[in-house]
Amino acid sequence: MHAMLNIAVRAARTAGNIILKGFENRDELMTEMKGDNDYVTRIDKEAEQAIIRKIQQSYPTHSFLGEEGGIVEGDDDYQWVIDPLDGTTNFVRGIPHFAVSIALLHKGRLDQAVVFDPIRGELFTASKGSGAQLNGFRIRTSKARDLSNTVLATAFPFKAKQQTQQCLDSFQAIFMKCGDVRRAGSAALDMAYVAAGRYDGYWEKGINAWDIAAGELLVKESGGLVTDYDGGNNPMKTRSVVCGNPKVVQNLVKLINS
């Protein structure tokens, strides 16, 4: 395992332990609202701080972009992009589907990725050029040739409900062509499941960099394609993402823009 990936795994497991303890004692948590339908808890903040501390023990000069703490200045050649608890709403409501997401950008390019599901003990990892793994075993995207009989994943714009109609139009066009669609509440796990071939594809608009950074590398290293809604190659900046194997992505982008 790459040295930096190994540190990221340790950081993710540390955060996972904090999250599990918090999940067992949710009644004691104080839940705040960052915005409409957007929760944050003490556990989100503690988990992010634990991740940063663990990484800084080995790489004290690196910079960070976290969902809760924003930017931590440092060496811009190495930036860690962190979502300490992707799926906070699930966590707050007792739904056991959430994950820790950690990615490393080296000179602006994705280099290492970890998505850790502490409930199931599933560790998804990827290093640029070395493939993607689940608990140490190689994973690949599905081999679907078109959308028929596929199982896809998506999300709805709960923070920007004025975009609902556009989202529903795309959903209807895609749903009529595929087998079924899931909306599970964690972008990081959605993309990890695409990388593992559990889902055939995933699309979402209004997403943040920390939600999809690790997932993007996982999908790419498992043989998949990741684009934005226009088919471009920078979903973290455009805040829209489509992923799956190349044939699935081509079909999804076409329907989204129809």
Side-chain angles (χ1 to χ4, degrees):
M1 184 179 290
H2 190 284
M4 291 186 180
L5 181 62
N6 190 39
I7 296 301
V9 167
R10 293 180 189 178
R13 291 193 182 279
T14 298
N17 289 335
I18 293 171
I19 291 166
L20 284 177
K21 290 177 182 177
F23 193 64
E24 293 170 356
N25 300 283
R26 292 189 319 283
D27 293 341
E28 301 174 7
L29 292 178
M30 293 293 293
T31 302
E32 304 172 24
M33 298 294 290
K34 294 191 292 184
D36 290 342
N37 307 306
D38 193 6
Y39 297 100
V40 63
T41 70
R42 170 178 56 82
I43 298 301
D44 295 74
K45 297 174 182 178
E46 287 183 7
E48 182 170 293
Q49 291 166 5
I51 291 168
I52 293 173
R53 284 197 303 269
K54 179 65 71 172
I55 294 172
Q56 285 181 329
Q57 288 174 4
S58 298
Y59 305 107
T61 65
H62 288 190
S63 62
F64 296 84
L65 173 62
E67 178 176 13
E68 309 308 335
I71 296 175
V72 177
E73 299 289 349
D75 182 356
D76 289 338
D77 282 352
Y78 292 92
Q79 184 182 52
W80 297 87
V81 182
I82 302 166
D83 191 338
L85 178 50
D86 185 55
T88 299
T89 300
N90 285 348
F91 174 86
V92 169
R93 300 303 296 267
I95 301 169
H97 189 79
F98 40 78
V100 181
S101 178
I102 304 173
L104 173 65
L105 296 174
H106 180 220
K107 296 184 177 179
R109 295 179 179 273
L110 286 164
D111 192 69
Q112 308 293 329
V114 174
V115 171
F116 179 53
D117 177 347
I119 292 290
R120 298 173 182 84
E122 291 191 329
L123 180 72
F124 300 85
T125 58
S127 293
K128 183 175 176 59
S130 298
Q133 297 183 325
L134 167 55
N135 290 342
F137 293 92
R138 182 68 186 269
I139 53 176
R140 302 288 296 180
T141 55
S142 81
K143 298 180 180 179
R145 301 183 65 83
D146 53 42
L147 295 186
S148 61
N149 300 313
T150 56
V151 175
L152 307 173
T154 190
F156 298 107
F158 64 95
K159 297 179 188 177
K161 292 189 175 180
Q162 68 274 13
Q163 299 177 8
T164 298
Q165 190 57 54
Q166 180 185 8
C167 177
L168 291 176
D169 290 343
S170 297
F171 180 90
Q172 181 176 9
I174 293 168
F175 185 67
M176 296 302 292
K177 296 289 185 180
C178 73
D180 206 349
V181 179
R182 302 286 183 264
R183 192 270 188 263
S186 170
L189 285 177
D190 285 341
M191 296 185 78
Y193 283 16
V194 170
R198 295 173 177 175
Y199 293 151
D200 296 288
Y202 160 72
W203 82 99
E204 185 174 352
K205 187 175 183 180
I207 201 75
N208 293 302
W210 46 77
D211 297 313
I212 63 172
E216 180 176 344
L217 187 62
L218 285 171
V219 173
K220 287 179 176 178
E221 288 296 324
S222 61
L225 180 65
V226 183
T227 75
D228 59 25
Y229 271 27
D230 294 321
N233 63 1
N234 202 339
M236 284 193 286
K237 285 192 175 180
T238 61
R239 300 190 64 204
S240 66
V241 63
V242 185
C243 70
N245 75 44
K247 291 184 182 296
V248 167
V249 170
Q250 182 181 18
N251 280 280
L252 287 174
V253 170
K254 182 178 179 180
L255 288 170
I256 287 168
N257 289 290
S258 66

